[in-house]
Amino acid sequence: MTKVKVAINGYGTIGKRVADAVALQDDMEIIGVAKTRPNFETVMAKDKGFNVYTLADRVGAMEKEGIEVSGTVEEMIEAADVVVDCTPGKVGATNKDLYEKAGIKAIWQGGEAHTLTGCSFNAETNYDEALGKDFVRVVSCNTTGLCRVLSPLDKEFGIKKARVTLLRRAADPGDIKTGPINAIVPNPIKLPSHHGPDVKTVIPNIDIATTAVKLPTTLMHLHTVNLELEKECTAEDVESILAEQSRVRFVGQGITSTAEIMELAKDLGRPRGDMWENCIWNESITMYEGELYFFQAIHQESDVIPENVDAIRAMMELESDASRSIEITNKTMGI
Ligand code: NAD
């Protein structure tokens, strides 16, 4: 089988994980990763055997640090079938001209606006929409986590109204510049937050409103989900639907916090201690006065990674059936 050639532009938190996940697939290969700085991640990319590319004006800086580059970002793009843009939010959009000129398919991340691609993606929800598309956006970690539960519950019971509070990690663990370190920050203060409209880019007809606060933690986000459903059902009915979702994991057995979930991910031997699935406390799934409530934790650094792999498969039409792509991705990654 000819493998689809994938380039990763931006090799940070998301890019390095997407590169590793793509490298596990039989139908895809990494032809290069682009880094702007000669840091430990650049050295790691070389050690893993990836070809490293950089911006034209950074070649000298890389070589000065003893890092041999395979060429410029433009050259990497020329050699690829699809590029996964994992540059920081808003930087990605500035690369669109480059991809269009090269006639290459491109995937962006949740830091970009829906309007950049017109197609916002979550594998379980709208895989078919991305089939053969040139430009797709894999939605953010929070939106991915919400789509994974709202979409199956909407299909089964009909969601009349979704109200979600997002308790967000302030920064990623490796980020030394972002705060707060001792405050709770309503963010945004103007309500509702932008997270609800972002879910609507994938599930257009849902009535959802969200609020969000930033907390001094780096591990995971936590969502308090409250739903009014069309059909009458019990907490057990909801639990059985969520139990069927391959990217949902129930937690309990002494797991009472995001810290213990991250410990579990490490104990499971997950690369980088990643937890790709939504973690739902099944004990929290409750019907109260006709409304559904539950808690779920989302590992912001990794839940979007399998979604990027499925997005490549849909855009390149390697697999037309969503469930088959999801199954392959899950199996190769160990989900
Ligand atoms: P990051 O800062 O960890 O990594 C970005 C990488 O891109 C860095 O290596 C940086 O050096 C490089 N870069 C910067 N400018 C570049 C350029 N012009 N060309 C090539 N590379 C360049 O960022 P991240 O957290 O991986 O975020 C990437 C995208 O993923 C953003 O859209 C973000 O919103 C989204 N996202 C992030 C998270 C998260 O929790 N970190 C979760 C889901 C989605």
Side-chain angles (χ1 to χ4, degrees), residues 260-325:
E260 288 145 329
I261 294 174
M262 289 288 88
E263 193 64 14
L264 170 66
K266 286 185 266 182
D267 290 345
L268 289 170
R270 293 287 180 85
R272 299 184 174 91
D274 283 350
M275 182 56 85
W276 300 296
E277 307 95 320
N278 289 22
C279 290
I280 297 180
W281 279 271
N282 46 330
E283 205 187 322
S284 75
I285 302 172
T286 304
M287 292 300 297
Y288 178 73
E289 298 196 347
E291 292 183 30
L292 170 66
Y293 293 83
F294 63 88
F295 286 127
Q296 66 172 359
I298 302 296
H299 186 218
Q300 75 281 354
E301 296 178 286
S302 71
D303 73 328
V304 299
I305 307 308
E307 309 297 328
N308 274 273
V309 175
D310 292 323
I312 295 171
R313 218 173 258 121
M315 293 165 74
M316 298 305 301
E317 295 179 281
L318 292 169
E319 177 55 70
S320 58
D321 185 87
S323 57
R324 275 208 293 271
S325 176

Side-chain angles (χ1 to χ4, degrees), residues 8-17 33-37 39 41-42 53-55 58 73 76 85-92 94-95 98-99 108-112 137-142 144 169 171-173 175 177 218 221 299-305 308:
I8 307 290
N9 194 13
Y11 191 76
T13 305
I14 300 298
K16 64 189 176 187
R17 287 173 167 82
V33 305
K35 271 296 288 175
T36 46
R37 283 176 300 142
N39 68 1
E41 286 165 324
T42 322
Y53 293 80
T54 194
L55 299 172
R58 303 285 170 94
V73 172
M76 176 179 78
D85 190 300
C86 302
T87 59
K90 313 292 175 264
V91 174
T94 64
N95 290 325
L98 175 68
Y99 305 151
W108 283 271
Q109 307 303 313
E112 308 303 326
R137 176 182 77 122
V138 170
V139 288
S140 75
C141 46
N142 279 308
T144 296
R169 63 88 179 97
D172 287 335
D175 178 356
K177 293 186 220 139
T218 63
H221 303 299
H299 186 218
Q300 75 281 354
E301 296 178 286
S302 71
D303 73 328
V304 299
I305 307 308
N308 274 273

Side-chain angles (χ1 to χ4, degrees), residues 164-186:
V164 183
T165 305
L166 298 102
L167 308 166
R168 297 170 54 209
R169 63 88 179 97
D172 287 335
D175 178 356
I176 57 166
K177 293 186 220 139
T178 315
I181 56 168
N182 186 22
I184 297 173
V185 184

Side-chain angles (χ1 to χ4, degrees), residues 27-199:
D27 48 358
M28 310 171 190
E29 64 180 325
I30 293 290
I31 58 102
V33 305
K35 271 296 288 175
T36 46
R37 283 176 300 142
N39 68 1
F40 68 97
E41 286 165 324
T42 322
V43 174
M44 177 187 67
K46 293 287 290 182
D47 287 349
K48 282 176 181 264
F50 295 136
N51 293 321
V52 171
Y53 293 80
T54 194
L55 299 172
D57 62 358
R58 303 285 170 94
V59 175
M62 289 282 188
E63 286 175 351
K64 205 169 141 209
E65 294 298 320
I67 294 166
E68 196 191 317
V69 293
S70 302
T72 63
V73 172
E74 283 79 0
E75 286 165 336
M76 176 179 78
I77 302 303
E78 283 299 327
D81 301 313
V82 56
V83 56
V84 186
D85 190 300
C86 302
T87 59
K90 313 292 175 264
V91 174
T94 64
N95 290 325
K96 192 173 185 186
D97 276 357
L98 175 68
Y99 305 151
E100 270 175 337
K101 272 190 204 128
I104 189 180
K105 290 181 189 263
I107 295 173
W108 283 271
Q109 307 303 313
E112 308 303 326
H114 169 72
T115 47
L116 183 69
T117 64
C119 177
S120 291
F121 179 86
N122 170 254
E124 286 284 0
T125 314
N126 65 346
Y127 185 92
D128 293 0
E129 209 184 309
L131 282 172
K133 280 260 159 54
D134 287 338
F135 298 138
V136 166
R137 176 182 77 122
V138 170
V139 288
S140 75
C141 46
N142 279 308
T143 305
T144 296
L146 286 172
C147 290
R148 281 183 185 164
V149 293
L150 296 180
S151 168
L153 292 177
D154 191 36
K155 272 184 212 140
E156 190 66 24
F157 307 113
I159 293 176
K160 207 189 291 175
K161 199 168 116 180
R163 299 293 179 258
V164 183
T165 305
L166 298 102
L167 308 166
R168 297 170 54 209
R169 63 88 179 97
D172 287 335
D175 178 356
I176 57 166
K177 293 186 220 139
T178 315
I181 56 168
N182 186 22
I184 297 173
V185 184
N187 178 267
I189 292 178
K190 214 162 165 274
L191 295 176
S193 75
H194 60 273
H195 304 91
D198 203 45
V199 170

